[in-house]
Amino acid sequence: DTGVSQNPRHKITKRGQNVTFRCDPISEHNRLYWYRQTLGQGPEFLTYFQNEAQLEKSRLLSDRFSAERPKGSFSTLEIQRTEQGDSAMYLCASSLVSMKQFFGPGTRLTVL
Amino acid sequence: DAKTTQPNSMESNEEEPVHLPCNHSTISGTDYIHWYRQLPSQGPEYVIHGLTSNVNNRMASLAIAEDRKSSTLILHRATLRDAAVYYCILSPRFSGGGADGLTFGKGTHLIIQP
């Protein structure tokens, strides 16, 4: 399967711990996006990379959140000092130079 | 960002056409109209997008009003696998081509009855 992959698929952590998620985009896609989705809501945009450059960050992305895409391929999203309000599905998407974004299956985070 | 308005839910019968409406009265001239859908427990899936002209692909058709203040996603023959949340999204064309981050609303929950 050559779609967008995300790991882990599920993560349970205790409040105050740090967590890191990984996204592997479709090969050669130069754009990579992170979104967050809570129950009953549509996905909310967090941040976006073109190659290794982080071009846009939502105000939802607090100082506890950091995203990287070091070599313009896979990306990581880290949340420091997790809070219960961080519990959500974290979605990654990638695209080439087109209007079409391909989404991964998401990482479900539960903060206890 | 320009906003879209969609019904919370719609119901249709299997093998019948489905017309999903979207209002976007504050759309700007450079906004593309995108439709994505999200099946249960999956990430969103691209359906179709357009700017001014009606568009067709293997999944659906997109009918855009002449004044661009509304659009309709048409599923020509709904199946049970089309049961999903459908999102209508406006996005300006990125200066380098492609789209910026998408602004999803709550979408329309489409229920298909067998």
Side-chain angles (χ1 to χ4, degrees):
Chain A
D1 185 75
T2 57
V4 177
S5 63
Q6 294 187 245
N7 288 287
R9 295 292 309 277
H10 303 273
K11 177 72 177 177
I12 299 174
T13 191
K14 292 183 179 179
R15 187 163 47 103
Q17 298 294 306
N18 299 344
V19 293
T20 301
F21 311 139
R22 176 177 170 129
C23 170
D24 287 89
I26 294 172
S27 179
E28 297 181 355
H29 276 194
N30 60 341
R31 296 197 171 99
L32 188 148
Y33 308 80
W34 285 99
Y35 294 83
R36 180 176 69 187
Q37 185 173 25
T38 54
L39 204 60
Q41 304 296 316
E44 298 171 295
F45 169 73
L46 293 178
T47 190
Y48 146 61
F49 291 85
Q50 179 164 309
N51 300 314
E52 64 274 11
Q54 190 171 16
L55 294 189
E56 188 179 352
K57 291 169 67 172
S58 162
R59 67 180 187 280
L60 294 173
L61 212 65
S62 76
D63 291 345
R64 296 185 297 105
F65 287 69
S66 62
E68 294 183 344
R69 195 182 183 199
K71 296 182 180 179
S73 56
F74 73 91
S75 175
T76 58
L77 177 68
E78 181 184 17
I79 308 174
Q80 296 183 327
R81 304 180 304 281
T82 52
E83 301 172 356
Q84 288 186 324
D86 297 331
S87 295
M89 177 75 81
Y90 289 83
L91 294 160
C92 174
S94 70
S95 72
L96 199 46
V97 185
S98 78
M99 308 295 282
K100 188 175 174 179
Q101 295 186 21
F102 294 82
F103 282 80
T107 295
R108 180 163 296 284
L109 172 67
T110 302
V111 181
L112 301 177
Chain B
D1 291 343
K3 291 187 177 179
T4 62
T5 304
Q6 299 178 253
N8 290 332
S9 65
M10 288 184 64
E11 204 167 306
S12 183
N13 295 319
E14 198 176 10
E15 299 187 6
E16 290 185 356
V18 179
H19 291 235
L20 295 164
C22 181
N23 287 323
H24 29 79
S25 58
T26 59
I27 190 171
S28 75
T30 56
D31 283 339
Y32 279 77
I33 303 159
H34 303 252
W35 284 83
Y36 281 75
R37 72 179 186 181
Q38 189 169 23
L39 279 65
S41 302
Q42 295 188 26
E45 174 187 29
Y46 167 86
V47 177
I48 201 166
H49 79 274
L51 183 61
T52 55
S53 304
N54 294 343
V55 184
N56 300 296
N57 65 22
R58 64 174 180 81
M59 288 181 71
S61 295
L62 176 59
I64 301 173
E66 199 169 328
D67 63 5
R68 302 210 323 127
K69 294 182 185 294
S70 65
S71 60
T72 302
L73 179 71
I74 303 165
L75 306 179
H76 295 286
R77 195 163 166 268
T79 70
L80 295 177
R81 288 176 295 179
D82 291 321
V85 178
Y86 286 78
Y87 298 98
C88 170
I89 302 163
L90 301 183
S91 181
R93 182 176 177 85
F94 183 63
S95 60
D100 293 334
L102 299 172
T103 301
F104 290 77
K106 290 191 175 183
T108 296
H109 184 199
L110 177 63
I111 300 163
I112 305 296
Q113 297 288 357

